[in-house]
Amino acid sequence: MTKSENDGQAMNTGIIIVAAGRGTRAGGELPKQWQCVGGQPVARWTLAAFTGRGPIVMVIHPDDRAEAEAAAQGLDVRLISGGAERAASVLAGLEALAEFAPDKVLIHDVARPCVTATVIEAVLAALDTHAGAAPALAVTDALWTGDAGLVSGTQDRTGLYRAQTPQGFDFAQILSAHRAHTGGAADDVAVARAAGMTVAIVPGDEANLKITEAGDFSRAAKQLRGNMDVRLGNGFDVHAFEDGDHVMLCGVAVPHTHKLKGHSDADVGMHAVTDALYGALAEGDIGRHFPPSDPKWKGAESAIFLRHAVNLARTRGYAIGNIDLTLICERPKIGPHAAEMTSKMADVMDLDSSRISIKATTSERLGFTGREEGIAALATATLVSS
Ligand SMILES: Nc1ccn([C@@H]2O[C@H](COP(=O)(O)OP(=O)(O)OP(=O)(O)O)[C@@H](O)[C@H]2O)c(=O)n1
Ligand SMILES: C[C@](O)(CO)[C@H](O)COP(=O)(O)O
């Protein structure tokens, strides 16, 4: 991940996912963040919730690199080594993020995979007016002290909150607060307050639980199932042939007796996939985002449109489930180029190629594709949010 690769995204916010803990209370053969809930590692859910919001640094234990790489596969995440205490891991993350010079930073426990976009956005909004902001829930149960199984006293709950993450801060201020902090701290709000920063409380969410004990895995799985929003979109596009010697299909220049006619590079395959993503988001189509009347897009690479749709989906908290594209033409033959097209699309979409299907059919010489007047493309996309 480089600074320039993130240009155009939410560049002023950096993300730190602290994942260097050992998960001793949760048990299991692997630390809790690498164990699966709802079919994928805890860490992957957590990373997906922040993808598209800015550069992500995940702080890990040096022994966990293989598990971390598997959990982050296909996502733009920098892995760095943490320390023995949570605060040391956060400081390592802040130092690594300094290269991106973010204005703000969100610091989140990997062990909170059910965090919602609403909570993240509430923290970010509060950072417009405060140096720090964090989600929390007011304590609603009565509080007691206990001793040897007996209630030994009661505790006034007025003004008490249960703290959650992500905790958000002005980047420069929290970096210097962490550098100056000595001794333990339960969280980054404690470090910030010790340095004199004010921290706003924003509404937390019961769903944003921290996997701490073994029983929390099933609670998280239930939550992830319940929160999951699956969206499906389809896209259809047609471009006519004109004189030329190659067609652009899914980012690959395929030699042919004609080229495709269009305002942009006329990559009919990418256009259909882009429209499927916009469709899944109920965001209209390419024309709404990149009007053909705008000379700026004349001859433009269609990868620009596709990346925009992908980033829009990720910014809204969706991961791309899969893409299925059918190209309809008699010629050129797609089969020999399908692997290269898949790899190019995977690259542009920053998506594992196993989630991309590119296939082709003829229309049995019927209709405009049968008469070789042009190429049609039909795409389906699924988006999954937690
Ligand atoms: N040295 C540490 C300790 C904790 N953490 C992270 O801080 C978060 C909150 O910590 P906790 O839930 O206590 O996780 P563990 O330390 O892994 O759990 P345990 O205390 O049961 O071992 C977790 O995302 C954990 O990975 C970290 O990055 N570095
Ligand atoms: C930061 C935190 O998630 C706020 O609730 C929590 O303090 C970290 O977990 P730990 O169990 O206290 O290490």
Side-chain angles (χ1 to χ4, degrees), residues 72-374:
Q73 196 196 6
L75 302 177
D76 195 6
V77 177
R78 174 171 298 180
L79 303 179
I80 61 146
S81 294
E85 304 296 330
R86 186 183 182 283
S89 296
V90 172
L91 179 56
L94 289 166
E95 300 286 5
L97 210 50
E99 175 196 333
F100 296 95
D103 299 328
K104 304 172 186 175
V105 60
L106 295 177
I107 304 169
H108 187 69
D109 295 333
V110 73
R112 294 185 188 271
C114 313
V115 61
T116 62
T118 307
V119 167
I120 296 170
E121 273 148 30
V123 173
L124 286 172
L127 287 181
D128 288 342
T129 45
H130 297 86
L137 293 167
V139 172
T140 52
D141 295 319
L143 293 178
W144 306 326
T145 52
D147 188 22
L150 298 175
V151 176
S152 56
T154 55
Q155 172 73 47
D156 183 7
R157 68 190 165 205
T158 313
L160 290 185
Y161 287 86
R162 291 185 285 141
Q164 299 188 335
T165 66
Q167 299 185 349
F169 304 94
D170 172 274
F171 181 77
Q173 290 188 53
I174 194 69
L175 176 59
S176 70
H178 260 283
R179 280 177 178 163
H181 194 79
T182 49
D187 62 7
D188 307 296
V189 166
V191 175
R193 293 195 69 256
M197 294 167 67
T198 54
V199 181
I201 300 172
V202 303
D205 191 330
E206 287 293 354
N208 187 17
L209 63 101
K210 180 162 75 69
I211 298 176
T212 304
E213 312 281 348
D216 295 331
F217 286 104
S218 58
R219 290 173 59 218
K222 197 167 157 204
Q223 207 62 58
L224 290 166
R225 264 197 310 275
N227 287 352
M228 195 182 285
D229 179 17
V230 177
R231 305 184 72 127
L232 183 136
N234 60 57
F236 179 70
D237 196 30
V238 173
H239 281 266
F241 284 130
E242 64 179 7
D243 287 346
D245 59 8
H246 72 277
V247 287
M248 284 307 296
L249 290 174
C250 298
V252 175
V254 178
H256 190 47
T257 51
H258 290 82
K259 74 193 261 285
L260 289 171
K261 189 174 166 184
H263 185 65
S264 65
D265 65 7
D267 189 327
V268 68
M270 270 199 194
H271 292 185
V273 172
T274 305
D275 275 350
L277 292 169
Y278 286 138
L281 292 166
E283 271 287 345
D285 60 10
I286 298 185
R288 186 203 285 185
H289 299 274
F290 301 93
S293 53
D294 188 339
K296 193 161 62 174
W297 308 119
K298 186 155 176 48
E301 267 190 42
S302 298
I304 296 171
F305 314 146
L306 182 55
R307 264 192 215 105
H308 178 266
V310 167
N311 287 337
L312 190 60
R314 291 189 175 138
T315 305
R316 299 256 174 102
Y318 291 97
I320 297 168
N322 73 305
I323 297 293
D324 185 20
L325 171 70
T326 305
L327 295 165
I328 307 164
C329 57
E330 304 292 329
R331 288 184 313 128
K333 291 298 166 208
I334 303 302
H337 305 282
E340 191 185 351
M341 290 178 186
T342 305
S343 141
K344 184 74 193 182
M345 293 289 278
D347 206 33
V348 172
M349 301 177 77
D350 196 8
L351 187 65
D352 194 86
S353 55
S354 65
R355 293 182 182 270
I356 300 174
S357 142
I358 298 178
K359 57 197 195 299
T361 183
T362 70
S363 56
E364 301 290 339
R365 297 238 153 249
L366 296 172
F368 68 87
T369 51
R371 291 190 298 272
E372 298 196 37
E373 293 167 6

